[in-house]
């Protein structure tokens, strides 16, 4: 007698296992798509109105509004602020959190400069009360997820900065667009770019002469993309800040014949934001067959830093 094959009966346990596996696969797919979407960097479009559309703005509005716009972008971009995420897909991402840190460093430097110099007529003057509230909030730990969360501190800083902007534009607060104030901030920026350029160049490793002798430094392979995206975020924020400075310090720059120098820096920073046409940050040798994205970024930042040093020299001249 011919035997007829019959499929094995799928019991409840096997059905449940298949359902769980299917849901897990769907969850991972959704996380993958979300992770890709959340990792997209904001563009370089202006965060504030261009000079031709500045009705109602005063000297200092562009810089203050740009700092506000940078922090708002960090908190409200797709996925929100990711540096302190403890759940997937945010916890699996590292490029965007490093990009966020680069932006945050520039915000901290500018908010400190505003509180310390730009909103004070002289060193003995009282600091602005709202900037005194905003600046320490922006310096809060970017990896705190609760008690309090980083986002809550940063939003409190945004509220304080918004209050300063409102007072500034109705004439109840001050912003002194002086050459010495701008030169001081540029000195801080130059130090940041010099450090980033050094760390980017260390992707290929090289010997350095120190007081203790010659040492060999190389960025660990797993940290190369971290440094790259931190530099990219820092350059993105600095690009917007320099556009704001071009508006607020227009008279100073014209008097010092420094507009061309500033525009050259902006062009170099715009080049750092070109699309990365590779699924990962490549780390080829300096003259190897593969690209070295870190060295390309270091080149642009070094050129921008050299121009910043020249600009600061122009501003400090009598």
């Amino acid at each position: 007698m011919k035997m007829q094959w019959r499929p094995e009966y799928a019991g409840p346990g096997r059905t449940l296992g298949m359902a769980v596996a299917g849901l897990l696969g769907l969850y991972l797919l959704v996380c993958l798509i979300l992770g890709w979407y959340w990792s997209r960097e904001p563009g370089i479009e202006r965060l504030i109105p261009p000079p031709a559309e500045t009705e109602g703005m005063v000297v200092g509005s562009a810089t203050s509004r740009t700092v506000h716009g940078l922090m708002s972008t960090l908190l409200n971009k797709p996925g929100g602020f990711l540096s302190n995420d403890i759940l997937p897909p945010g916890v699996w991402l590292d490029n965007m959190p490093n990009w966020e840190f680069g932006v945050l460093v520039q915000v901290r430097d500018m908010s400190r400069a505003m509180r310390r110099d730009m909103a004070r007529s002289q060193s003995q003057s009282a600091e602005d009360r709202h900037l005194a509230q905003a600046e320490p909030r922006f310096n809060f730990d970017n990896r705190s997820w609760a008690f309090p969360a980083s986002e809550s501190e940063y939003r409190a800083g945004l509220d304080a900065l918004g209050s300063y902007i409102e007072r500034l534009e109705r004439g109840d607060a001050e912003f002194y667009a002086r050459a010495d104030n701008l030169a001081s901030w540029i000195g801080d920026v130059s130090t940041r770019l010099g450090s980033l350029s050094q760390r980017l160049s260390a992707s290929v490793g090289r010997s350095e002469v120190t007081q203790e002798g010659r040492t060999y430094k190389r960025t660990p392979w797993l940290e190369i993309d971290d440094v790259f995206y931190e530099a990219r975020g820092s350059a993105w924020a600095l690009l917007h800040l320099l556009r704001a400075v071009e508006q607020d310090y227009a008279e100073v720059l014209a008097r010092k014949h420094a507009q061309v120098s500033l525009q050259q820096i902006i062009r170099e920073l715009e080049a750092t934001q070109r699309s990365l046409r590779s699924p990962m940050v490549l780390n080829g040798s300096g003259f190897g067959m593969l690209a070295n994205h870190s060295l390309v970024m270091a080149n642009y930042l070094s050129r921008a830093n050299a121009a910043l040093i020249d600009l600061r020299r122009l501003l400090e001249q009598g």
Side-chain angles (χ1 to χ4, degrees):
M1 182 169 51
K2 182 182 274 188
M3 299 291 293
Q4 184 176 3
W5 178 83
R6 294 182 181 179
E8 183 180 351
Y9 172 69
R14 183 176 178 185
T15 303
L16 179 61
M18 293 176 63
V20 171
L23 289 174
L24 180 60
L26 179 62
Y27 172 73
L28 292 176
L29 178 61
V30 170
C31 286
L32 181 64
I33 295 173
L34 280 178
W36 169 80
Y37 180 59
W38 291 358
S39 295
R40 299 178 64 188
E41 302 165 36
I44 61 173
E45 297 79 12
R46 287 182 176 270
L47 298 176
I48 60 173
E53 304 174 10
T54 56
E55 184 178 355
M57 295 174 64
V58 299
V59 173
S61 291
T63 301
S64 305
R65 289 190 181 192
T66 296
V67 174
H68 196 282
L70 292 173
M71 284 304 299
S72 296
T73 300
L74 282 184
L75 296 174
N76 300 321
K77 61 180 174 54
F81 190 69
L82 301 177
S83 296
N84 60 347
D85 279 13
I86 60 173
L87 295 174
V91 72
W92 294 338
L93 305 177
D94 63 343
N95 292 342
M96 182 51 70
N98 282 289
W99 184 91
E100 291 173 346
F101 183 72
V103 176
L104 193 57
V105 167
Q106 292 296 340
V107 168
R108 289 170 174 173
D109 285 350
M110 177 54 88
S111 62
R112 182 176 65 251
M114 290 172 61
R115 176 185 180 182
R116 181 188 62 194
D117 300 318
M118 297 178 182
R120 302 171 67 190
S121 60
Q122 55 187 354
S123 61
Q124 301 301 317
S125 303
E127 61 186 12
D128 186 272
R129 66 181 187 277
H130 285 125
L131 291 179
Q133 295 170 11
E135 191 255 345
R137 300 279 188 172
F138 294 152
N139 280 275
F140 187 74
D141 181 10
N142 64 310
R143 295 192 178 275
S144 176
W145 66 275
F147 311 116
S150 302
E151 292 92 335
S152 65
E153 291 294 299
Y154 296 156
R155 291 193 188 280
L158 276 177
D159 290 341
L161 179 59
S163 297
Y164 167 76
I165 295 172
E166 291 177 3
R167 291 173 44 239
L168 177 68
E169 294 182 351
R170 68 169 183 258
D172 294 336
E174 303 294 339
F175 186 97
Y176 298 94
R178 300 195 310 258
D180 59 327
N181 290 343
L182 182 56
S184 178
W185 173 70
I186 287 176
D188 293 338
V189 171
S190 179
T191 300
R192 296 289 187 191
L193 291 190
S195 176
L196 284 171
S197 298
Q198 181 72 21
R199 292 165 62 199
L200 288 164
S201 299
S203 64
V204 294
R206 61 182 178 179
S207 60
E208 295 183 354
V209 178
T210 65
Q211 292 183 351
E212 292 76 19
R214 187 177 294 272
T215 61
Y216 188 80
K217 296 184 178 180
R218 184 184 180 97
T219 303
W221 184 78
L222 292 177
E223 296 179 12
I224 288 173
D225 60 334
D226 296 345
V227 177
F228 177 86
Y229 278 98
E230 180 186 339
R232 195 168 167 94
S234 187
W236 179 83
L238 183 56
L239 168 62
H240 289 288
L241 290 171
L242 288 176
R243 286 173 175 171
V245 162
E246 190 176 20
Q247 289 183 229
D248 284 334
Y249 289 83
E251 293 186 8
V252 171
L253 294 170
R255 189 168 63 250
K256 298 289 186 177
H257 305 289
Q259 303 102 319
V260 175
S261 295
L262 180 60
Q263 291 167 3
Q264 177 63 33
I265 300 167
I266 291 174
R267 282 195 294 270
E268 296 293 347
L269 293 174
E270 287 175 342
T272 67
Q273 302 302 303
R274 292 173 182 166
S275 298
L276 186 65
R277 304 190 181 280
S278 170
M280 62 182 295
V281 176
L282 298 180
N283 186 39
S285 61
F287 294 95
M289 295 180 62
L290 296 178
N292 188 304
H293 295 126
S294 296
L295 291 184
V296 174
M297 179 69 74
N299 175 63
Y300 286 126
L301 293 188
S302 295
R303 288 167 58 89
N305 193 24
L308 276 170
I309 293 172
D310 291 340
L311 175 58
R312 185 183 185 188
R313 190 178 297 116
L314 284 173
L315 293 171
E316 291 175 341
Q317 291 175 354

